[in-house]
Amino acid sequence: MAGLGWACLRMTGRPAVSTALVAVSVAFTLGISVIWARSEVVGTEPIAAPVFAKLDGTILEREEQPAEDRVRLVIATREQGTGRAIKVRIKVPAMSDDNALKEGARIRLGARLMPPSPPILPGAYDFARAAWFRGYAATGSLAGDIEVLAEAPSNEGGSLASAQRRLSAHVRSRVDGSAGSIAAAFASGDRGGIPLSDEEAMRDAGLTHLLSISGLHVSAVIAAAYFLALKLLALWPWLALRVRLPLCAATVGAGAGIAYTLLTGAEVPTVRSCIGAVLVLGALALGREPLSMRMVAVAAFCVLLFWPEAVIGPSFQMSFAAVLAIIALHNSGPVQQFLRPREEALAAKYVRRVAMLFITGVVIEIALTPIVLFHFHRAGLSGAFANVVGIPLVTFLSMPLIALALLLDLAGLGGPVWWLAGKSLDLLLWIAHFTSAQPGAVKLVPQMGMGTIALFVGGALWRGRVRLWGLLPAAVGAFALAATPTADILVTRDGADFGVVDGSGQLHVLRGSPLSYSQTNLIELSGSDNPPVPLQIYPDAKCSADFCSLVVARGEREWALLVALNRQRIDERQLAAACELSDIVIAERWLPRSCRPRWLKLDGRYLSENGGTTIYLDDKRVAGVADGQGSHGWQRSGIESPKQEGRQLSPAP
């Protein structure tokens, strides 16, 4: 492509075309090289199989999760048998926690280790890929007690991680309940204390972005520091007459933003937001346009240079999509005309500002909804209304109150301000719960295809007067999303859970407690809005202690299913006879070869090769996790391309 661009320059004299061809091809090649290098440098081969291990290692990270009554420890240790240096993440119950378990301490413990898990179903979260780029070879849970072999170094108390934990604990001690956990998240980035019910309410209300330290929080800190520095430095006439105060204020704001980023853990979304905010400050100091597409491109380039794997994550996509939507909206002619200064009453001015805030929220929701549906299969439809109140509440009330309370705590005077901050966050939680509880507030959709999301992205990348043409691919994408079929049968990767959707759209599950990981994925990927019910009450289902047989009607066809309820062995002849009468047989254990259903046998052997599987009966199509896997390092060796093809069904009896 670069050679073609060079030839175009020499032969046709079209510099724009040649520059585009050369730049895009070189950028693509460099991008492939960066992600390859990153994968080779940080990627870690997972352990081969689940194992119980005795570990001696050093604590690298400590993550407190009081809402789940546990802590997570990331430990550097060596793999048993091979001696390979690995990094593992262990869940430790709160009752086994100890003050000595800090970064740098050497410990000995027993743990049940598992290789990082691939997606439980097609379209579900791929923890194996995330663990590869975090360097985790295994995850697991504590088995027994922890022995501290060596205390953490004495200078550990001055580390950023220690300061973050102390700040989080201090904030939670000053504000009770869920409001205190959210205040701790704003101050230190620690989200471990937020109850799951509040997290879900914030997500369904479109407010979950407020819990992640990103552009809103970093911008608020930098803007406050910039404004205070500018006003205070202006009180010094000698300096004001000799130095450009915006440059000094921008330096102070950048320092505050970097310090806040480091204090809150320097996660990729926070670093990304800090880079963008510092670029805006630089533009302001130089008298340039602060909000432009070039600024977004430079920030994205900086992030992808060091964390190229972030490009496929929802955080990167959502934050940059939101910024692009804001810039595109506010750079448009009608909006600039609407916001231009004019002679008017103060009330009219604020009405226009509030209206613009609402319009911006709606545009952001429209831009983010396809991305949210692609990654999470659910989206809050009332987010624009909640954000109109939630964003100003956090930006102009909650965060300034928290900062003022922390400052006053140096003199022991922060109590009243903490009370006000808690009340503001209680109001935020009330808005989240009220919005998410409204009928139709949450929309569930089945797995969105790559082609559909590509249409939405393609519709958003137009500029100038032809931008409205982007509505065409977006409209096609919306039609494709509405026409996306819902899976009729879903089987998790280990076969331990199973879901089938009846004719009314009700999801029936084999097992799994409410809010369990497997059941949550079954609900989201089935697109069912109703709580799941047991498989045993499926219409006309016939169940024994070992198997359930049921008939699923789709169109003009009835499909006979046989589902194993446990791992107990039964007489092989009886099983073979039952399989012959069934179109599909599902079991978590390996079934004998004599079990030959009319179409598909999803047993332990099949699932070990294909992973979690979804079945679309109308199309007679089977989709497995392995269909979307490649030859990447994080791919489990047990999941390969499908080995069993679906056979054409015999005519319906």
Side-chain angles (χ1 to χ4, degrees):
M1 288 290 290
L4 179 61
W6 184 256
C8 287
L9 174 64
R10 301 193 61 176
M11 296 174 60
T12 64
R14 296 182 178 273
V17 175
S18 62
T19 301
L21 290 174
V22 172
V24 170
S25 57
V26 171
F28 182 84
T29 306
L30 292 177
I32 294 295
S33 303
V34 168
I35 187 64
W36 182 19
R38 170 77 172 167
S39 179
E40 290 295 325
V41 169
V42 305
T44 301
E45 288 288 338
I47 61 176
V51 66
F52 175 84
K54 282 288 186 179
L55 305 177
D56 287 5
T58 302
I59 299 177
L60 300 178
E61 300 174 25
R62 172 190 171 94
E63 179 186 356
E64 298 185 358
Q65 296 182 310
E68 301 185 38
D69 202 28
R70 70 185 186 190
V71 297
R72 280 176 172 171
L73 300 179
V74 178
I75 303 170
T77 183
R78 292 194 176 273
E79 186 177 13
Q80 289 186 346
T82 66
R84 176 173 65 113
I86 59 174
K87 186 164 66 173
V88 300
R89 191 180 72 183
I90 305 296
K91 293 184 292 187
V92 178
M95 66 180 67
S96 301
D97 190 18
D98 190 277
N99 290 332
L101 300 179
K102 300 177 181 178
E103 288 87 349
R106 290 188 59 244
I107 59 174
R108 176 178 296 154
L109 74 160
R112 301 178 185 89
L113 299 180
M114 295 280 294
S117 302
I120 191 171
L121 287 163
Y125 177 63
D126 192 349
F127 178 67
R129 183 178 63 204
W132 175 269
F133 286 104
R134 294 175 187 171
Y136 299 157
T139 60
S141 57
L142 178 68
D145 298 324
I146 301 178
E147 179 184 356
V148 179
L149 303 178
E151 298 279 346
S154 57
N155 61 351
E156 188 275 335
S159 68
L160 284 171
S162 177
Q164 184 184 26
R165 285 196 297 271
R166 290 198 303 269
L167 178 59
S168 177
H170 173 75
V171 173
R172 286 200 298 267
S173 69
R174 302 292 281 167
V175 183
D176 296 329
S178 298
S181 299
I182 295 178
F186 289 166
S188 66
D190 177 15
R191 297 174 55 176
I194 302 176
L196 180 61
S197 59
D198 291 332
E199 285 239 32
E200 289 188 340
M202 295 285 285
R203 178 192 62 190
D204 293 341
L207 297 173
T208 190
H209 64 94
L210 298 177
L211 301 179
S212 176
I213 303 299
S214 56
L216 175 67
H217 311 80
V218 175
S219 299
V221 170
I222 290 179
Y226 180 92
F227 178 80
L228 290 174
L230 190 64
K231 296 302 181 183
L232 291 176
L233 292 176
L235 298 177
W236 187 2
W238 182 89
L239 184 68
L241 293 173
R242 291 168 175 81
V243 179
R244 291 188 65 235
L245 294 187
L247 184 60
C248 297
T251 303
V252 173
I258 293 172
Y260 183 62
T261 299
L262 294 175
L263 182 62
T264 53
E267 298 291 336
V268 174
T270 317
V271 174
R272 180 174 62 245
S273 303
C274 184
I275 292 173
V278 170
L279 289 172
V280 170
L281 286 175
L284 288 172
L286 296 174
R288 302 289 295 275
E289 174 62 36
L291 294 178
S292 67
M293 294 297 182
R294 290 186 179 88
M295 181 271 291
V296 179
V298 172
F301 177 84
C302 294
V303 171
L304 296 180
L305 184 62
F306 296 102
W307 301 280
E309 71 276 9
V311 73
I312 57 174
S315 176
F316 178 93
Q317 296 174 9
M318 292 172 64
S319 58
F320 273 96
V323 174
L324 287 171
I326 292 172
I327 293 176
L329 176 66
H330 285 260
N331 285 345
S332 64
V335 170
Q336 290 181 343
Q337 179 68 19
F338 181 72
L339 293 177
R340 67 176 177 80
R342 65 193 71 180
E343 292 291 337
E344 61 183 345
L346 187 62
K349 176 181 178 181
Y350 280 104
V351 167
R352 284 195 297 110
R353 296 293 178 181
V354 172
M356 195 64 237
L357 183 64
F358 176 74
I359 293 171
T360 302
V362 171
V363 170
I364 291 175
E365 287 296 316
I366 293 173
L368 297 187
T369 296
I371 302 174
V372 172
L373 293 177
F374 178 76
H375 288 283
F376 305 112
H377 317 290
R378 60 186 296 158
L381 302 181
S382 304
F385 300 93
N387 278 286
V388 167
V389 180
I391 291 177
L393 177 65
V394 170
T395 306
F396 301 114
L397 191 59
S398 298
M399 289 193 65
L401 286 174
I402 293 171
L404 180 59
L406 288 171
L407 182 63
L408 292 176
D409 272 353
L410 297 176
L413 303 175
V417 183
W418 281 121
W419 182 84
L420 291 173
K423 292 302 180 183
S424 71
L425 294 174
D426 285 336
L427 176 59
L428 178 68
L429 285 170
W430 180 85
I431 293 171
H433 283 279
F434 176 79
T435 304
S436 61
Q438 299 308 304
V442 180
K443 175 63 178 176
L444 297 178
V445 300
Q447 180 188 358
M448 186 190 302
M450 288 295 295
T452 304
I453 189 65
L455 286 169
F456 283 114
V457 173
L461 298 180
W462 299 64
R463 294 190 61 192
R465 297 181 178 180
V466 298
R467 178 173 286 151
L468 291 178
W469 284 101
L471 294 175
L472 182 59
V476 175
F479 178 79
L481 177 61
T484 299
T486 301
D488 299 295
I489 300 172
L490 306 96
V491 185
T492 57
R493 60 173 173 259
D494 55 0
D497 210 347
F498 155 86
V500 58
V501 182
D502 64 19
S504 64
Q506 175 66 57
L507 175 66
H508 297 256
V509 296
L510 181 61
R511 59 174 66 92
S513 59
L515 300 180
S516 66
Y517 181 71
S518 62
Q519 191 169 113
T520 300
N521 278 273
L522 287 172
I523 293 171
E524 292 179 352
L525 289 165
S526 67
S528 176
D529 295 327
N530 301 318
V533 296
L535 178 68
Q536 287 79 358
I537 65 173
Y538 190 90
D540 299 325
K542 299 178 181 179
C543 297
S544 66
D546 301 310
F547 281 87
C548 267
S549 63
L550 55 145
V551 175
V552 179
R554 288 294 182 272
E556 299 178 355
R557 170 73 209 208
E558 291 185 343
W559 309 73
L561 269 67
L562 185 66
V563 183
L565 302 180
N566 52 52
R567 290 176 172 267
Q568 299 297 324
R569 289 185 175 273
I570 65 172
D571 181 76
E572 185 173 349
R573 291 184 178 180
Q574 294 181 358
L575 177 60
C579 290
E580 287 183 1
L581 298 175
S582 304
D583 297 316
I584 303 171
V585 176
I586 301 171
E588 60 180 306
R589 61 185 177 91
W590 289 39
L591 297 178
R593 297 188 182 278
S594 58
C595 174
R596 298 180 60 83
R598 291 194 287 250
W599 185 43
L600 193 62
K601 180 170 71 174
L602 275 71
D603 64 344
R605 179 185 293 106
Y606 182 98
L607 294 172
S608 67
E609 297 173 348
N610 296 270
T613 301
T614 53
I615 302 174
Y616 302 84
L617 296 178
D618 285 338
D619 301 333
K620 301 179 183 178
R621 179 166 61 91
V622 181
V625 168
D627 296 336
Q629 296 282 317
S631 300
H632 303 293
W634 58 85
Q635 179 188 346
R636 287 280 302 280
S637 59
I639 298 181
E640 302 172 358
S641 57
K643 296 294 190 297
Q644 177 174 340
E645 299 294 335
R647 297 196 301 270
Q648 187 68 27
L649 284 169
S650 58

